[in-house]
Amino acid sequence: MNTKLTPITQDSLTEASALIQSGQLVAFPTETVYGLGGSALDAQAVLNIFRAKERPVDNPLIVHIASRDQAFPLCRWTDLADTLASAFWPGPLTLLLRRTEMVPDVVTAGLSTVDLRLPAHQGALAFLRACALPVAAPSANRSGRPSPTTAQHVMEDMDGRIPLILDGGASGVGLESTVLDLSGEVPTVLRPGAVTPEQITMVAGSCEVASSVMRPLEVGERALSPGMRHRHYAPQGRLTLVEGEPEAVAEAIIGLHDAQPEARILAMHDHIPLYDNRPVNDLGQDAADAAHRLFYLLRSFDAQGVPRIFSETLPPTGLGLAVMNRLARAAEFDIIKV
Ligand code: TXA
Ligand code: MG
């Protein structure tokens, strides 16, 4: 199959919606990461998504919609969902709600809940409106690779597997949306993202964070979100995180790096002078910069065949929690405390 990469125009939107309506796949930009879309109402199209990504079929997909009305036939909408949607939609908050019969089993991996998201990206919304149906879309990477934040990343992973990639430039946020479970008593973050637990608490009155967000699953433990079972966001080189006061962290990383000069260093901008002219990859000034750059940097390391990476950590508050969740998983929880 020939994979076409095209900017978002009236013509490419017409082509994209025709593909989706005939059960084929289209990759599209969002404010978080690029998605690999197929009709959420067509079980065969959804199976094609799993095949193109090589994704295990027990890992359910997020359903993307262009308006709140589109959510109503798919789920048991609640007052709390309405309050949260008013505060955060369109935006990087995915709501997990009880589902209806309208959603095919393959979308939810047979679970009784469905994950719904209304993205804050003009290109994504134009695409979803043109499709005029709910679009199931995981991140548009091959399973186990960092999520794509540019159309070129999608091409690297999907060339020859899908007919069309809509190019909307680099994703602003750079990390996947917050997944918030509304099916229980207390809203619970299953995957941290740019809408933070602190922000959710302000609107919902309470918000918990699943304990599995910052630790590996124990043997035999049931995953609240099936995505947490699978190896995730893994760069090809081995990644180790070093945690502690900036000076002590830099000293430890310098020692590790000098024993393995082919290794790369990830550090916050203000700490770079601590590394005495060693080549450091800049995570930026704050958690928002780090979120925006992380997957991009991990992919560039893969492209260069970097075998070893050492990274600083961030305080796990606000958007820092999302960055640390991805970093810790990419490192397979190899974290040195100094
Ligand atoms: O930002 C995003 O959310 C991106 C863009 C494309 O919208 N999408 C994305 O999808 O990250 P994906 O498939 O890579 O991640 C979806 C996550 C997985 O961890 C999955 O297990 C979880 O949401 N999930 C989906 N449906 C679920 C359900 N019914 N119950 C529990 N977890 C669910
Ligand atoms: Mg993903």
Side-chain angles (χ1 to χ4, degrees), residues 39-322:
S39 167
L41 306 178
D42 179 341
Q44 195 53 51
V46 175
L47 279 172
N48 288 338
I49 297 177
F50 285 98
R51 191 171 315 132
K53 261 189 79 98
E54 299 167 32
R55 180 181 176 109
V57 287
D58 64 351
N59 192 4
L61 306 181
I62 295 175
V63 176
H64 294 69
I65 51 182
S67 72
R68 206 181 301 189
D69 300 353
Q70 265 186 312
F72 302 151
L74 304 172
C75 69
R76 240 182 281 151
W77 192 249
T78 65
D79 289 344
L80 183 55
D82 213 61
T83 305
L84 288 163
S86 297
F88 298 112
W89 278 5
L93 176 66
T94 297
L95 299 177
L96 186 65
L97 291 153
R98 303 240 155 253
R99 68 150 163 151
T100 61
E101 291 297 305
M102 198 166 160
V103 185
D105 278 336
V106 277
V107 173
T108 69
L111 296 173
S112 58
T113 47
V114 62
D115 239 350
L116 295 168
R117 161 156 151 74
L118 203 166
H121 186 284
Q122 287 318 313
L125 290 170
F127 164 69
L128 293 169
R129 275 190 220 107
C131 294
L133 47 77
V135 172
S139 48
N141 50 292
R142 279 205 309 275
S143 216
R145 301 255 293 143
S147 295
T149 54
T150 67
Q152 285 68 34
H153 290 170
V154 179
M155 189 57 117
E156 282 168 28
D157 281 16
M158 291 296 151
D159 193 12
R161 296 174 181 227
I162 60 173
L164 186 64
I165 301 170
L166 296 175
D167 186 352
S171 297
V173 176
L175 294 183
E176 307 86 345
S177 63
T178 306
V179 174
L180 185 68
D181 184 357
L182 293 184
S183 69
E185 300 253 300
V186 182
T188 304
V189 171
L190 303 183
R191 179 177 73 181
V195 174
T196 65
E198 294 86 342
Q199 290 175 301
I200 294 164
T201 303
M202 301 253 281
V203 172
S206 63
C207 175
E208 287 180 357
V209 177
S211 65
S212 46
V213 160
M214 277 316 295
R215 61 169 174 80
L217 282 182
E218 280 155 33
V219 176
E221 182 179 354
R222 193 178 70 91
L224 289 172
S225 180
M228 292 196 192
R229 265 203 309 273
H230 302 282
R231 186 164 187 258
H232 234 164
Y233 318 115
Q236 280 151 29
R238 191 177 143 217
L239 169 65
T240 298
L241 312 183
V242 183
E243 188 176 270
E245 291 303 316
E247 291 75 15
V249 167
E251 199 185 308
I253 291 182
I254 285 171
L256 291 162
H257 174 265
D258 290 356
Q260 272 175 284
E262 71 284 7
R264 296 300 178 85
I265 299 170
L266 289 172
M268 297 305 293
H269 185 79
D270 292 345
H271 301 158
I272 291 176
L274 299 173
Y275 292 87
D276 290 334
N277 296 324
R278 285 175 186 76
V280 174
N281 289 91
D282 188 353
L283 284 172
Q285 300 282 359
D286 54 20
D289 285 348
H292 182 71
R293 295 178 189 189
L294 180 62
F295 287 153
Y296 194 92
L297 287 167
L298 292 180
R299 275 189 178 256
S300 75
F301 292 162
D302 282 354
Q304 298 163 58
V306 173
R308 194 77 180 93
I309 310 156
F310 299 107
S311 178
E312 295 186 349
T313 62
L314 280 73
T317 53
L319 186 50
L321 181 68

